Amino acid sequence: MAGRLAEKKKILEIIISVLLCLVFALSGVGCAKSIPQNKTQAGYVNVYPEKITGNLHNPGMGWVSLEEPMYTGLADIGGCGDIPMVDCIGIQTSWALIEKEEGVYDWSAVDDVFDYWTPKGKRFNIRITVDCTFVPNSYVACPLWLIDKYDIATKVYEAHGQTPVGYYEAVDVTDPNYLKHLDLFLAELNKYIKDKPVESIDLLGYGVWGEWHSGYDFESYEDRNEQLSNIINHWVDAFELDGQFLSLCAAWEYRDNTDPNVNINQKPTPTYEDYLYWGAFDYAMTQSEIGFRRNGGAGVLMYNTDERIASDYIRSGKRVPLMAEYYSSFEDQLQPYPAFNVMEGIDNILFKLRPNYCTVLGWANVNVQALYDLGVDYLYARGNEKFGYRLAIDKATYPEEVSAGNEIDILTQFSNSGVGRYWFDYPLQISLSDAEGNTVFSALNKDINLKSLLNGETMNVYSSIQLPDDLANGTYSLAVALVDEETGEPVIALGNGGDTDGDKRYILGDIKVKNNISNPKLGKSYSYRQIKDLTLKANTTYELTFEYTPGFSLENFTFNNYDGYEVYAASEKGGESATRGYMKWQDVSEERSYRTVRFTTGD
């Protein structure tokens, strides 16, 4: 294993060192801005917008509740209520129930789900399994006509509690005829979801429930890695993704190939390297379209495998969200000795898996509403506060008075209190409105990237905007919003008060337009060469915001390699506490990004 990993190209280690002056060795570093923070810059005001609680109903995150047209009568479509505490609907069905005859695709059951929930503003997660059947066919994933007509090999295994009937039949997913027809089906699925509000697609290509475990046995772990990597390729090649991503279940199993019916829980804990290799997770990680999910949160997580891959994934800087599932049913949580109580369970998921999405406890819609009726709504509130991203403006700095025709600087300091990742490219709109609330001017800052901002981190965003020459004198409300560039409409709700009528535009304060006002630049800008000549003052707090393009490559990523970047300020004189503002991180995104580091110099 060590030899195989060593053969992979090692990621370049780049260190940013700061020795009195700040020297950047980053690939493609742009300008940096630095502001002493223990006094307000002349002509500027600082404001600290109010923070709010509650569900922001943002895209790209939230509880997922399942509609299951794979089971007759279990597609709820509003029968138990419209579950307002849940923003995402998971459509869980199977290949066999859509392509009931070769080349004939029946999407009617799925259409019903889309038709009901789309007008209600729900977003969707597609979960279509393509492997395994349960004997005696209480659930069928791979079409039986495909198995029979093309003589696809199958094997029957004991289920050990994983299926309703105690047995399952696994399909040889390496068979050329199987793969040929899988490609045809995935191509149809790709066409079907083109005009639908689908945010993610589960890569349910192997094993029971498609969860990447307990599938057809391979001759060796080397063969398993190769064949599962091939299945991943078939799914990646099938979809023309436009803002969506594929989610691969990072399950674990340890099963002796010579005795496939041995309970996996009676086997030793696998090593992390083995876990990554036999699940082909090492290969999946290098594919830009793929994120991971972990089913079994608050129940069957293992620190050495699935918890660790979630931690390494978040650390890597890959810009695709993680997904999770709340393990078991509410009835299980009512037993005398559950693994967790309900709230401990959600915190286990939040802080060990760091997901943007999570399937709710009990999985299906009817259970979601039942929990709500029982008064367990605090479970949903906790998740809606912390899943994914929760961006807010902690502080804003802007000129109190300006003149028409001038360029002005505005600083918005963003933070993220969610556990997951913001993964969109929306620009920041800055607008002025008059006393009647009419927008008289707006501009876009497209030079913004908040995707590196993780839980507990903050980032300064600097916007320089040119005011129009004909802007009349008077007092205006200054507002900001993250907007769709094409429509100009706000898209992302922030965790701040001050938006007008819930329109996701956030008022920072008043700004006066007068004649003959000259505004100094906000902070100072330096290239990485210029910053060599910067002298820092003693006992002063600095904020340094810098732009960089990471030189790490996702396709060369290897787990267990924590090479990355670091930035710090160190006194040339040395001595105790000479190093300040230390920050270290990974970033395999290959996207131009930003970081803000704060430090206080000593004597």
Side-chain angles (χ1 to χ4, degrees):
M1 179 64 64
R4 178 181 57 78
L5 293 174
E7 290 175 358
K8 295 188 175 182
K9 183 178 179 182
K10 188 173 182 179
I11 299 175
L12 176 65
E13 180 177 4
I14 302 177
I15 297 178
I16 312 167
S17 61
V18 186
L19 300 172
L20 182 61
C21 52
L22 300 169
V23 181
F24 289 89
L26 286 166
S27 168
V29 172
C31 66
K33 288 181 180 284
S34 180
I35 300 179
Q37 289 298 301
N38 50 5
K39 63 179 181 180
T40 301
Q41 188 168 338
Y44 284 85
V45 295
N46 292 332
V47 296
Y48 303 88
E50 172 196 10
K51 298 289 183 67
I52 61 171
T53 60
N55 189 357
L56 300 178
H57 300 287
N58 274 321
M61 53 185 271
W63 285 108
V64 180
S65 183
L66 300 186
E67 291 278 21
E68 299 190 275
M70 65 166 60
Y71 296 123
T72 302
L74 280 191
D76 183 73
I77 51 176
C80 66
D82 287 343
I83 50 174
M85 73 296 288
V86 170
D87 287 335
C88 303
I89 300 295
I91 302 179
Q92 182 152 318
T93 186
S94 74
W95 177 9
L97 291 180
I98 293 171
E99 191 178 0
K100 298 174 183 177
E101 301 177 33
E102 183 174 358
V104 179
Y105 303 95
D106 180 5
W107 299 99
S108 58
V110 183
D111 287 338
D112 290 342
V113 179
F114 275 117
D115 291 346
Y116 183 81
W117 289 112
T118 300
K120 299 183 182 300
K122 304 295 186 183
R123 306 180 306 274
F124 296 89
N125 163 221
I126 295 294
R127 302 181 176 189
I128 299 181
T129 53
V130 297
D131 180 24
C132 289
T133 65
F134 296 161
V135 183
N137 298 332
S138 61
Y139 154 73
V140 182
C142 177
L144 298 181
W145 60 258
L146 176 61
I147 296 172
D148 296 338
K149 181 175 180 179
Y150 294 96
D151 196 24
I152 310 295
T154 64
K155 293 181 181 179
V156 176
Y157 301 99
E158 293 181 25
H160 298 294
Q162 297 180 72
T163 74
V165 293
Y167 297 89
Y168 66 93
E169 186 175 8
V171 180
D172 180 2
V173 293
T174 70
D175 185 285
N177 282 314
Y178 173 87
L179 292 172
K180 173 185 174 181
H181 286 273
L182 173 66
D183 288 342
L184 293 172
F185 173 72
L186 293 179
E188 290 296 320
L189 176 59
N190 176 61
K191 289 190 291 185
Y192 177 74
I193 65 173
K194 278 295 183 186
D195 61 344
K196 309 272 190 313
V198 171
E199 292 189 335
S200 65
I201 303 155
D202 277 23
L203 200 168
L204 299 177
Y206 173 75
V208 171
W209 309 109
E211 292 181 352
W212 219 246
H213 63 79
S214 309
Y216 196 89
D217 277 329
F218 299 95
E219 293 183 359
S220 66
Y221 285 128
E222 289 73 19
D223 184 42
R224 179 186 173 107
N225 179 276
E226 179 182 349
Q227 297 301 336
L228 291 184
S229 296
N230 183 49
I231 292 172
I232 289 170
N233 288 338
H234 279 264
W235 284 72
V236 168
D237 292 343
F239 292 97
E240 302 169 75
L241 300 175
D242 183 15
Q244 303 95 4
F245 63 96
L246 297 173
S247 183
L248 177 65
C249 186
W252 65 272
E253 67 174 337
Y254 182 75
R255 190 173 65 196
D256 187 338
N257 283 345
T258 63
D259 190 3
N261 292 320
V262 170
N263 190 324
I264 58 176
N265 294 313
Q266 296 174 353
K267 288 290 184 179
T269 302
T271 67
Y272 187 49
E273 291 75 16
D274 283 345
Y275 164 74
L276 296 171
Y277 186 58
W278 71 53
F281 303 132
D282 53 357
Y283 178 73
M285 181 66 184
T286 65
Q287 306 302 300
S288 60
E289 303 90 344
I290 294 180
F292 292 121
R293 70 175 296 120
R294 181 57 181 114
N295 294 345
V300 293
L301 299 183
M302 293 180 62
Y303 171 76
N304 196 49
T305 54
D306 32 13
E307 284 184 23
R308 186 171 172 186
I309 197 175
S311 175
D312 284 352
Y313 184 92
I314 286 287
R315 179 189 289 115
S316 75
K318 190 173 182 180
R319 306 295 169 79
V320 183
L322 289 170
M323 303 186 77
E325 173 199 72
Y326 203 123
Y327 179 69
S328 77
S329 66
F330 186 62
E331 289 75 15
D332 293 333
Q333 296 292 314
L334 297 178
Q335 298 305 309
Y337 302 104
F340 302 94
N341 67 36
V342 172
M343 288 301 288
E344 288 172 340
I346 183 61
D347 283 349
N348 174 267
I349 293 167
L350 289 170
F351 299 107
K352 291 190 174 181
L353 297 181
R354 307 283 295 275
N356 275 47
Y357 302 85
C358 184
T359 307
V360 76
L361 175 63
W363 307 307
N365 289 3
V366 63
N367 296 317
V368 176
Q369 190 63 43
L371 281 174
Y372 189 80
D373 293 340
L374 283 171
V376 195
D377 50 314
Y378 53 82
L379 171 68
Y380 302 114
R382 177 66 168 169
N384 286 325
E385 282 277 342
K386 301 298 289 185
F387 284 141
Y389 56 91
R390 189 179 183 88
L391 302 179
I393 297 174
D394 291 353
K395 180 183 75 171
T397 304
Y398 59 88
E400 189 173 16
E401 297 179 341
V402 300
S403 287
N406 285 0
E407 183 179 76
I408 65 171
D409 289 347
I410 297 171
L411 163 66
T412 43
Q413 186 181 94
F414 281 86
S415 64
N416 182 9
S417 60
V419 299
R421 185 176 295 281
Y422 176 75
W423 52 293
F424 300 105
D425 290 310
Y426 297 121
L428 181 67
Q429 182 191 73
I430 298 167
S431 61
L432 297 178
S433 58
D434 60 22
E436 287 72 40
N438 302 309
T439 300
V440 299
F441 167 75
S442 67
L444 293 181
N445 178 0
K446 301 178 185 178
D447 192 21
I448 177 176
N449 187 339
L450 299 174
K451 289 186 281 187
S452 65
L453 196 58
L454 294 178
N455 181 247
E457 297 179 343
T458 59
M459 182 187 298
N460 286 345
V461 174
Y462 292 85
S463 303
S464 294
I465 61 173
Q466 184 73 41
L467 296 176
D469 294 332
D470 60 352
L471 186 61
N473 287 350
T475 299
Y476 298 89
S477 292
L478 173 67
V480 295
L482 291 167
V483 302
D484 183 295
E485 185 175 347
E486 293 184 1
T487 66
E489 291 301 313
V491 182
I492 303 297
L494 303 180
N496 292 112
D499 61 330
T500 54
D501 300 322
D503 67 355
K504 303 176 188 175
R505 288 186 172 90
Y506 297 87
I507 297 175
L508 301 179
D510 289 339
I511 191 167
K512 297 177 182 179
V513 178
K514 293 183 175 181
N515 294 328
N516 303 317
I517 300 296
S518 178
N519 301 114
K521 295 294 291 181
L522 180 58
K524 296 181 180 179
S525 297
Y526 305 88
S527 70
Y528 74 95
R529 292 183 179 88
Q530 292 171 328
I531 210 164
K532 293 180 180 180
D533 299 322
L534 176 65
T535 299
L536 306 181
K537 297 179 180 180
N539 300 309
T540 302
T541 298
Y542 288 87
E543 289 182 344
L544 179 74
T545 297
F546 55 91
E547 170 192 343
Y548 70 100
T549 300
F552 290 77
S553 173
L554 179 59
E555 67 178 10
N556 295 321
F557 177 87
T558 57
F559 287 100
N560 282 331
N561 185 334
Y562 301 119
D563 290 346
Y565 305 109
E566 57 183 6
V567 59
Y568 56 90
S571 170
E572 187 178 56
K573 296 180 180 179
E576 186 178 356
S577 302
T579 299
R580 303 297 174 101
Y582 183 81
M583 177 189 290
K584 184 175 182 179
W585 73 101
Q586 284 189 295
D587 192 341
V588 297
S589 70
E590 303 180 62
E591 294 183 5
R592 184 178 57 158
S593 301
Y594 298 86
R595 285 275 171 174
T596 295
V597 61
R598 294 169 185 80
F599 57 91
T600 300
T601 57
D603 293 335

